Amino acid sequence: MKKPILTLLVSLFTSMAFSQNHTLPLWNGTPPLQNEMDLKEEVVSEGIIRINNVQIPTIEVYLPAKQISTGKAVVIFPGGGYGILAYDWEGTDFAKWLNAQGIAGIVVKYRLPGSKSLTDPKEVPLLDAQRAIRLVRQNAAAWNIDPAKVGIMGFSAGGHLASTASTQYNHEVDRPKDGIDALSARPDFSVLVYPVITFQDDAVHGGSRKNLIGENASQELKDRFSAQLNVNAETPPTFLVHAQDDKGVPVENSILYYQALHKNGVKASLHIYPSGGHGFAFGLGKGAVEGWREVLLAWMKETVM
């Protein structure tokens, strides 16, 4: 009996070793659209890990054991109104859960527009998002990922960033380029969880809009960062989940994006639960919304072959 037990222990240890995480910087040296300043990142851990004033954007990579790997990867953008990042609640917790499903989870610690070091704050989150997707594709072979199965997941303002990355993946800014820029930044699929979508007045999350483009932004900027206005036939297939009683980000945000996807013939799945509020994450103890992750997995199996 000792030999089978030893074999099992070795197998478990090997599986754990393969699923350990590591962190990589998005950029070499000072990131684009940023001045070198003596500013410090702020991390507060009070129930939820909240990160502010990011100066060195990174990806934290969680890989599943090779024995269960599906080849799929999800690049995750935590929310926080473009003011902070709810880094574990809407980031690393989900990367670990995805690993158990055989899916790589990559959490992006993206720069936030409030930092004084940024030269064009409104462009920086999207720039970091594009870089993260490209970086995953660059490392796909080493990480046992299929480069044609790289999706994104965003929560609240992170959902706004994910929807922007889904509709403006070809957007460019004036900056130095390197070899990674030759890779596609288009996500293969998108998962938007109680997302901010529109910057129009009827259903806007005022805090996200103010933090990203300012209080007195032009209509042109409001339109550019309203994802429902930028959907086309090439927008990735999308899964949306929202609670009807969300008092932070009105459910109309998800509905507007779904309608735009449907109009353009893009495969989309919209799930609205009667309760759950805003920021429910896993939805534990929140009633029916607790089951949204199982619905997501079924959608991914059907959509991401």
Side-chain angles (χ1 to χ4, degrees):
M1 289 296 291
K2 289 184 178 180
K3 188 173 181 180
I5 293 174
L6 179 61
T7 302
L8 176 61
L9 289 173
V10 170
S11 176
L12 287 172
F13 177 81
T14 303
S15 175
M16 290 172 64
F18 272 108
S19 61
Q20 288 179 347
N21 65 304
H22 59 282
T23 302
L24 297 174
L26 286 182
W27 308 96
N28 295 320
T30 303
L33 305 185
Q34 182 171 321
N35 291 321
E36 189 66 41
M37 297 177 68
D38 188 24
L39 298 177
K40 303 297 182 183
E41 178 179 297
E42 300 168 6
V43 181
V44 176
S45 182
E46 295 176 350
I48 297 174
I49 297 174
R50 294 176 172 87
I51 299 178
N52 190 11
N53 205 32
V54 175
Q55 299 300 303
I56 303 176
T58 62
I59 53 173
E60 188 168 354
V61 182
Y62 290 79
L63 301 177
K66 286 188 176 181
Q67 296 92 326
I68 65 168
S69 176
T70 63
K72 299 172 186 176
V74 176
V75 181
I76 306 169
F77 304 106
Y82 285 117
I84 59 98
L85 301 178
Y87 193 72
D88 54 348
W89 184 250
E90 296 172 343
T92 53
D93 287 353
F94 278 87
K96 296 169 187 176
W97 170 73
L98 287 165
N99 274 189
Q101 321 306 320
I103 302 167
I106 296 97
V107 184
V108 187
K109 185 170 71 175
Y110 56 93
R111 290 172 289 168
L112 297 162
S115 176
K116 295 180 180 178
S117 62
L118 303 183
T119 60
D120 194 351
K122 71 181 184 303
E123 300 292 348
V124 168
L126 175 59
L127 186 61
D128 285 353
Q130 293 170 327
R131 183 70 169 191
I133 294 166
R134 290 182 171 123
L135 201 55
V136 172
R137 289 202 166 104
Q138 184 198 40
N139 290 278
W143 296 346
N144 198 31
I145 291 170
D146 184 337
K149 296 180 180 179
V150 178
I152 57 178
M153 172 185 279
F155 300 78
S156 194
H160 182 267
L161 179 54
S163 67
T164 305
S166 295
T167 53
Q168 299 187 44
Y169 48 84
N170 284 329
H171 180 76
E172 294 188 5
V173 296
D174 185 20
R175 63 176 178 87
K177 301 289 184 68
D178 59 23
I180 297 176
D181 289 301
L183 298 172
S184 173
R186 179 187 180 274
D188 294 303
F189 60 94
S190 179
V191 179
L192 306 181
V193 188
Y194 40 84
V196 176
I197 293 293
T198 185
F199 276 4
Q200 310 301 317
D201 290 336
D202 52 350
V204 69
H205 178 252
S208 294
R209 184 173 70 181
K210 177 183 176 181
N211 287 337
L212 186 63
I213 62 174
E215 283 188 290
N216 301 309
S218 67
Q219 189 60 49
E220 181 182 3
L221 271 181
K222 291 177 183 178
D223 290 349
R224 182 192 156 196
F225 286 102
S226 293
Q228 83 277 12
L229 301 180
N230 298 294
V231 171
N232 59 36
E234 301 303 315
T235 302
T238 303
F239 178 98
L240 297 120
V241 60
H242 221 118
Q244 188 178 1
D245 66 347
D246 191 327
K247 303 301 183 185
V249 177
V251 69
E252 284 79 7
N253 281 265
S254 285
I255 294 171
L256 286 168
Y257 197 66
Y258 174 81
Q259 289 174 330
L261 293 166
H262 179 63
K263 182 179 179 180
N264 283 273
V266 178
K267 289 184 177 180
S269 185
L270 171 62
H271 300 271
I272 299 174
Y273 292 86
S275 61
H278 188 68
F280 54 73
F282 281 91
L284 300 179
K286 297 284 188 177
V289 74
E290 187 172 333
W292 78 266
R293 289 168 294 136
E294 285 65 39
V295 181
L296 169 62
L297 291 176
W299 177 83
M300 287 182 65
K301 287 179 181 178
E302 179 182 353
T303 306
V304 191
M305 305 299 290

